Amino acid sequence: MDRISQLSDTLLLRILSELPTAKDVVATMVLSKRWLPLWKSVPHIDFDDDSYEDTDTGRFSRFVDRSLILHKAPIETLHFELSQTSTVADIGIWIEMAVQRHVRDLSINIDCTSSTTPVTVPRSLYTGCGMLVNLNLTSVTLTDASTLPSFSNLKYLYLVFVKYPGEEFVRRLLFSCGVLEHLYVEQCFDDNVTIFTVKVPSLKSAILHKSQDRYIDDEDGFVIDAPSLELLDVYNITGGFCTIESAMPNIVKANVIVNHGPSEILSAITSVKRLYLCLPSYSKDAYPVGSVFHRLVCLKICTSEIEWFNLLMCVLKDSPSLKALKLELFCVRDEEQRSCWNEPSSVPACLLSSLETFEWVNYEGTEEEKEVVAFILRSGRCLKKVNISSETTTPTRNLSACTRLKP
């Protein structure tokens, strides 16, 4: 007896929603009369042209058209994974169909390794997607619009290698997202935006990356005004700047991977609890003098600069509640180069009262490093766990770039 077919429509639709692609969902209609109409009511649909040969791209487009036309119920989630140039030309029609179905989760991902034709998103995405909660765009071109309606329900926005009409459009787009909470941006080298401005009062997490192949000058950077942020991840190792226009009292986690000017970022996130700080190069003005990280309990420092001891001592001195410290050093030294270590005249408060875990990755055992270890072990009255390793935890990493570690 077919026991699965005796389940309720609700359970069967949930099962169908777990299938990887729409092609698999539609295929279930041949199982029996009980299954014949069910695929038309599945709330989550994923279209992926990877299973079609290059000569079948027209068949894939017809399959998507027919599936969306025959679908009867509202569609909550609609994802497109496209790689072949003959299919992406229909994306405008598919978006208009998504608008008509009141989609809440829309994802359009274009694989540029196999498609060189630009995919332009139509204006209907702005005018008819007021119900969207989650929008994910990869390798598409956004169309300019004189006015942008309010994305009154949008909480999650992912923009990866997207090309924009310009900087003013980006500001207006984010301004129209009145309840946006999570923003992920990865800028490509020719996206028409030099200064990416994020002014969103409701934003809770911001992950902002500039690709390593961008040509960066002093005018390229991020401007952030998001006082409600709880997570900040900035990746910009080729230069440029990052300006913080408001304090972030609710910040919990921060990943700061920059090549220049981290001082302004650090001075705005003094309430952070978990900090990953990666500086391929270090200068005396990199640290905000006078700042106190009163809530910081977990700190990871990554750098390839030999003059890193001053940075370490500054952070330790200004982090009275620190419990866990991890160092990842990838210093390429010339024979004549020698790090300068001077033991501080006073022991940082965290070593005396709170530091419990100390880890050092890629330890080389130089005289200066031995002195630093000896100082921390001698002064750390609350240490419970110490791990010092000569091997890196990420052997494939581009050491000079200090590639980002996710929190």
Side-chain angles (χ1 to χ4, degrees), residues 231-244:
L231 168 65
L232 175 65
D233 186 322
V234 178
Y235 179 86
N236 186 5
I237 63 171
T238 53
F241 65 91
C242 183
T243 299
I244 309 294

Side-chain angles (χ1 to χ4, degrees), residues 2-241:
D2 182 5
R3 294 184 178 180
I4 295 181
S5 296
Q6 297 180 14
L7 297 175
S8 65
D9 284 0
T10 301
L11 287 176
L12 291 179
L13 290 175
R14 184 173 179 179
I15 293 173
L16 290 177
S17 297
E18 297 297 325
L19 294 179
T21 68
K23 184 178 180 180
D24 300 312
V25 174
V26 174
T28 62
M29 64 184 294
V30 302
L31 295 177
S32 67
K33 291 182 178 181
R34 174 76 172 90
W35 290 82
L36 182 61
L38 286 176
W39 71 270
K40 299 178 183 179
S41 300
V42 174
H44 308 286
I45 304 178
D46 292 88
F47 292 106
D48 189 344
D49 70 0
D50 189 55
S51 60
Y52 288 78
E53 300 293 336
D54 291 344
T55 57
D56 292 337
T57 54
R59 187 160 63 92
F60 172 76
S61 297
R62 291 191 295 273
F63 169 72
V64 176
D65 293 341
R66 188 170 183 271
S67 299
L68 292 177
I69 291 173
L70 294 178
H71 202 279
K72 296 180 178 180
I75 302 175
E76 295 181 10
T77 302
L78 183 59
H79 291 177
F80 294 97
E81 298 287 340
L82 305 175
S83 60
Q84 300 169 19
T85 56
S86 58
T87 63
V88 296
D90 299 320
I91 193 67
I93 297 175
W94 298 338
I95 289 179
E96 292 180 0
M97 291 183 179
V99 170
Q100 296 172 2
R101 299 296 193 282
H102 304 292
V103 171
R104 296 173 61 82
D105 181 348
L106 178 62
S107 177
I108 305 172
N109 296 322
I110 310 298
D111 181 7
C112 288
T113 60
S114 57
S115 175
T116 57
T117 303
V119 179
T120 301
V121 176
R123 290 186 177 88
S124 57
L125 176 66
Y126 317 137
T127 58
C129 285
M131 296 297 293
L132 275 179
V133 175
N134 185 359
L135 178 60
N136 189 327
L137 301 175
T138 300
S139 300
V140 302
T141 299
L142 295 181
T143 307
D144 198 2
S146 57
T147 59
L148 290 174
S150 173
F151 289 87
S152 56
N153 294 289
L154 192 66
K155 292 186 176 183
Y156 300 85
L157 179 59
Y158 302 84
L159 303 171
V160 180
F161 295 157
V162 172
K163 296 184 179 181
Y164 310 91
E167 295 176 3
E168 178 60 28
F169 176 86
V170 171
R171 285 191 286 267
R172 290 190 289 114
L173 174 63
L174 295 181
F175 182 78
S176 68
C177 304
V179 297
L180 188 67
E181 295 182 357
H182 307 281
L183 174 66
Y184 182 100
V185 174
E186 190 163 354
Q187 287 188 261
C188 56
F189 72 95
D190 57 348
D191 63 355
N192 300 318
V193 174
T194 301
I195 301 176
F196 199 102
T197 302
V198 178
K199 291 190 176 184
V200 185
S202 60
L203 202 62
K204 294 183 178 180
S205 71
I207 301 177
L208 308 174
H209 295 181
K210 290 185 182 289
S211 63
Q212 297 185 34
D213 58 355
R214 286 177 65 92
Y215 175 76
I216 304 296
D217 56 29
D218 292 340
E219 297 181 355
D220 192 293
F222 295 112
V223 175
I224 304 173
D225 185 358
S228 301
L229 269 188
E230 299 174 5
L231 168 65
L232 175 65
D233 186 322
V234 178
Y235 179 86
N236 186 5
I237 63 171
T238 53
F241 65 91

Side-chain angles (χ1 to χ4, degrees), residues 235-354:
Y235 179 86
N236 186 5
I237 63 171
T238 53
F241 65 91
C242 183
T243 299
I244 309 294
E245 295 191 341
S246 60
M248 302 176 184
N250 301 322
I251 195 75
V252 176
K253 295 181 181 180
N255 288 351
V256 180
I257 305 95
V258 295
N259 203 32
H260 299 290
S263 177
E264 184 171 358
I265 302 177
L266 294 177
S267 62
I269 60 172
T270 54
S271 298
V272 69
K273 291 184 177 180
R274 305 175 66 87
L275 173 62
Y276 176 66
L277 181 60
C278 185
L279 304 176
S281 62
Y282 175 70
S283 60
K284 293 182 179 179
D285 60 350
Y287 185 79
V289 178
S291 298
V292 177
F293 298 88
H294 57 281
R295 298 172 60 195
L296 186 64
V297 295
C298 182
L299 170 66
K300 297 180 183 180
I301 295 180
C302 170
T303 183
S304 58
E305 175 62 46
I306 63 172
E307 298 295 339
W308 60 271
F309 297 117
N310 291 331
L311 172 64
L312 174 63
M313 287 300 105
C314 286
V315 179
L316 291 181
K317 177 177 65 70
D318 295 334
S319 306
S321 303
L322 190 66
K323 292 185 177 182
L325 171 65
K326 182 176 181 179
L327 304 178
E328 296 186 73
L329 308 176
F330 306 101
C331 303
V332 181
R333 299 178 176 86
D334 296 333
E335 292 183 0
E336 297 181 356
Q337 285 184 315
R338 187 173 184 269
S339 302
C340 180
W341 159 254
N342 294 314
E343 184 171 315
S345 58
S346 61
V347 178
C350 64
L351 294 181
L352 299 174
S353 61
S354 61

